[in-house]
Amino acid sequence: LLHQETYLANGDLKTWEGKKDEVYSTISSTENYNKTLLGTVPHMDESAALEVLDYACAAYDKGKGEWPTAKVSYRIKCMEDFVVQMKKEREKVVKYLMWEIGKSLPDSQKEFDRTVEYIYDTIEDYKQLDRDSAKFSKRDNVNAHIRRGPLGVVLCLGPYNYPLNETFALLIPALIMGNTVVFKPAKHGVLLLSPLLEAFRSSFPRGVVNIIYGRGREVAAPIMATGRIDVLALIGNSKSAIALQDQHPHKNRLRLVLGLEAKNPAIILPDADLDLAIQECISGTLSFNGQRCTALKIIHVHEDIREEFNSRFAKKVDELKFGNPWEEKVQLTPLPEPEKPTYIQELIDDAREKGAKILNEKGGEISENYIYPAVLYPVTTEMRVYQEEQFGPVIPVKPFNSIENLLDEIADSNYGQQVSLFGKDIEQLAPLIDTLVNLVCRVNLNSSCQRGPDVFPFTGRKDSAVGTLSVHDALRSFSIRTFVASKDN
Ligand code: G3H
């Protein structure tokens, strides 16, 4: 049992005296559902959250604070100290990723290692940014010394599916650019940050990094309502992002860095290599049970090959191994959100009522914290599974005849993150690719959708994102170009 009753604020690990939230593991097996108490975290109220905000504002001190005015070399040193200490906690953090959100051992290790690499890449890019900024430009006898300055106080909210990596993809660039931060981890995956609190405490000056725990509407909304937040950085759903923006009394001043929903489609053309397409669609739809914003959330298969694709794909889905995250070669794991199996069941029921069938034998088998992925066919636009971002183990498959109509359908979607295109004749695909990149932000040729490598731009059109997250872009998203001008006399 890990008792995590402390929180980090104003450079101290404070002991929590108030109400506590209990955190349970998601472990299970198909027969025995085990709900083990892992620990507790503070359940803050509005006044506690506002007190934490005060610390972040005091450390920023309207731009006059030690951190926003610090030298680049000092911020780099703090970040390097942090990552060195963080690496020592790998085993603990990985363990909590498995227990709290049910991520498999290799994926949990990957999440940790990827985050460490992200921090090192950020440090390197920050050095480069500083070198570039140090260049003078001159025009009409005016010399400009360009710099990159912080934006102020940032409120960061991370998601449960990458509670370490994606939270840090916001937090780390925000910090290194000289902002001060209040961050709120998602409900699932809060304990895994506890082994890192001491590293934050000892690496950064007072008040620069602060944590709040609790429900968004109870702790994040009141913080926004003060109007003292300069940047809202959130990876999660649009509903939460909009609700928080609406709280801010001066919305025009608020900078946004948002990674939101997506409904990434796979398009399987008649000449696709079906072995490859099936393999990529399996990982694309079901890695971490489909709980990824980049997951393939609908498969469009051409009529000419749909029979072969459907039967082979459904068979492969039934071959996947479900089990606890620490078991070997496990591909499907328990779902951390207790309400998710019921929600997925509702999507399946709705699709079946409207004419779809479950193609795989195990599809829809339900246990207390799992539902086996169902392959649904033929899916139509009226079905909820077509319209909603399922963010879980259910796979809608829709047939198509005309690529023109399919492009219209993708263009009319509320989302625009990525697409996976499967076909062999790359030259013939060129015009299609040229159109698709105008509808989404990344076209994956003969491969599933994904965010990485983290140095590549990660963004989306329409309701999928605001701003770009990559090592390179995030540093710019959390800063502003300023300059000192002087005239030649
Ligand atoms: O949930 C959204 C994540 O950005 C997905 O990242 O493609 O590396 O799994 P990933």
Side-chain angles (χ1 to χ4, degrees):
L1 188 72
L2 177 81
H3 289 282
Q4 166 33 36
E5 284 153 15
T6 50
Y7 63 106
L8 173 68
N10 203 25
D12 290 324
L13 292 184
K14 295 177 186 277
T15 308
W16 184 250
E17 305 293 343
K19 213 169 110 190
K20 290 163 188 139
D21 267 345
E22 293 185 334
V23 180
Y24 291 90
S25 72
T26 57
I27 61 163
S28 108
S29 76
T30 33
E31 285 94 41
N32 299 311
Y33 179 59
N34 245 323
K35 214 175 169 206
T36 305
L37 180 65
L38 290 178
T40 58
V41 286
H43 180 118
M44 288 184 169
D45 57 14
E46 178 173 335
S47 69
L50 293 180
E51 191 185 319
V52 175
L53 173 67
D54 281 344
Y55 299 134
C57 293
Y60 193 70
D61 193 16
K62 300 175 185 169
K64 300 178 280 120
E66 177 195 353
W67 188 246
T69 57
K71 286 196 183 325
V72 165
S73 56
Y74 177 64
R75 292 205 205 121
I76 290 172
K77 188 190 164 300
C78 294
M79 200 54 88
E80 283 173 346
D81 284 352
F82 173 75
V83 73
V84 166
Q85 290 185 62
M86 175 181 167
K87 284 195 288 187
K88 294 182 191 151
E89 305 297 336
R90 182 177 190 262
E91 208 179 312
K92 281 189 212 150
V93 175
V94 164
K95 198 167 90 185
Y96 283 104
L97 274 166
M98 289 191 286
W99 280 76
E100 284 192 272
I101 62 158
K103 198 168 264 195
S104 70
L105 174 63
D107 284 354
S108 298
Q109 289 169 329
K110 195 168 144 200
E111 174 159 356
F112 188 92
D113 297 341
R114 176 181 183 179
T115 309
V116 167
E117 195 182 327
Y118 184 93
I119 298 174
Y120 280 120
D121 284 348
T122 298
I123 293 171
E124 282 317 304
D125 216 272
Y126 179 55
K127 288 179 188 166
Q128 186 58 44
L129 185 68
D130 186 56
R131 276 193 287 272
D132 293 349
S133 303
K135 284 176 198 151
F136 284 83
S137 67
K138 186 172 177 179
R139 184 108 193 208
D140 301 335
N141 277 345
V142 183
N143 299 296
H145 181 188
I146 313 281
R147 307 170 181 198
R148 278 246 158 214
L151 294 167
V153 180
V154 180
L155 178 63
C156 274
L157 295 99
Y160 82 83
N161 62 337
Y162 276 98
L164 179 72
N165 181 267
E166 287 208 309
T167 307
F168 278 34
L170 303 172
L171 180 69
I172 298 298
L175 284 175
I176 207 165
M177 291 313 304
N179 303 284
T180 63
V181 177
V182 174
F183 83 97
K184 183 182 116 49
K187 187 175 164 204
H188 307 284
V190 279
L191 290 177
L192 62 90
L193 292 169
S194 58
L196 305 178
L197 294 186
E198 174 54 28
F200 277 122
R201 191 201 64 75
S202 59
S203 309
F204 294 95
R206 288 181 83 78
V208 168
V209 47
N210 307 277
I211 297 187
I212 50 168
Y213 296 100
R215 298 207 175 87
R217 61 177 179 278
E218 288 168 20
V219 290
I223 285 183
M224 291 300 289
T226 63
R228 297 165 83 193
I229 290 297
D230 301 292
V231 185
L232 173 65
L234 175 147
I235 295 181
N237 62 61
S238 321
K239 216 170 124 198
S240 314
I242 292 166
L244 289 175
Q245 284 170 61
D246 284 347
Q247 291 291 320
H248 201 288
H250 311 288
K251 268 196 266 176
N252 291 350
R253 288 189 210 161
L254 185 66
R255 287 283 188 108
L256 298 172
V257 183
L258 307 175
L260 305 170
E261 297 100 330
K263 187 91 184 172
N264 293 340
I267 304 172
I268 322 285
L269 296 170
D271 72 336
D273 173 339
L274 279 195
D275 288 337
L276 179 66
I278 288 167
Q279 180 194 314
E280 289 293 314
C281 284
I282 291 282
S283 60
T285 52
L286 291 174
S287 290
F288 194 40
N289 305 303
Q291 302 165 117
R292 298 160 58 231
C293 63
T294 49
L296 288 173
K297 297 201 180 95
I298 184 156
I299 299 176
H300 296 280
V301 61
H302 195 277
E303 282 280 10
D304 292 355
I305 47 157
R306 60 132 172 123
E307 256 178 58
E308 188 182 351
F309 176 86
N310 283 353
S311 66
R312 287 175 57 192
F313 180 69
K315 198 158 165 275
K316 279 271 178 230
V317 171
D318 275 352
E319 284 167 14
L320 297 174
K321 183 178 165 194
F322 172 73
N324 285 326
W326 47 88
E327 284 171 31
E328 272 199 24
K329 296 193 176 150
V330 71
Q331 289 142 314
L332 303 168
T333 49
L335 302 167
E337 294 179 294
E339 63 283 4
K340 193 51 87 58
T342 313
Y343 168 67
I344 298 289
Q345 182 69 62
E346 281 170 19
L347 296 183
I348 294 173
D349 293 345
D350 172 77
R352 291 177 81 182
E353 274 163 30
K354 292 171 183 159
K357 290 196 165 51
I358 299 181
L359 297 185
N360 55 324
E361 276 177 31
K362 293 193 201 168
E365 277 177 14
I366 199 158
S367 69
E368 195 164 350
N369 64 345
Y370 201 67
I371 181 159
Y372 203 89
V375 182
L376 294 171
Y377 181 88
V379 161
T380 59
T381 51
E382 296 76 38
M383 296 175 186
R384 283 180 62 191
V385 75
Y386 176 89
Q387 292 157 5
E388 296 173 25
E389 188 204 29
Q390 65 267 41
F391 216 78
V394 60
I395 311 162
V397 182
K398 189 170 178 286
F400 76 93
N401 257 324
S402 147
I403 193 75
E404 287 307 317
N405 292 349
L406 179 56
L407 288 175
D408 277 339
E409 214 177 298
I410 295 172
D412 290 340
S413 158
N414 289 332
Y415 307 113
Q417 192 199 67
Q418 301 188 21
V419 70
S420 287
L421 182 61
F422 294 91
K424 277 203 194 104
D425 191 337
I426 300 296
E427 250 172 56
Q428 278 208 346
L429 289 180
L432 181 55
I433 295 167
D434 287 347
T435 305
L436 282 169
V437 287
N438 289 345
L439 310 185
V440 296
C441 288
R442 172 168 168 166
V443 177
N444 299 278
L445 288 178
N446 296 307
S447 60
S448 58
C449 298
Q450 58 179 323
R451 178 164 43 116
D454 292 333
V455 289
F456 287 171
F458 176 56
T459 184
R461 297 172 188 270
K462 296 186 265 186
D463 292 347
S464 286
V466 177
T468 304
L469 283 171
S470 71
V471 170
H472 182 80
D473 294 288
L475 290 176
R476 287 151 180 85
S477 301
F478 287 103
S479 61
I480 188 165
R481 279 182 111 197
T482 60
F483 68 101
V484 179
S486 58
K487 272 193 173 177
D488 279 348
N489 291 315

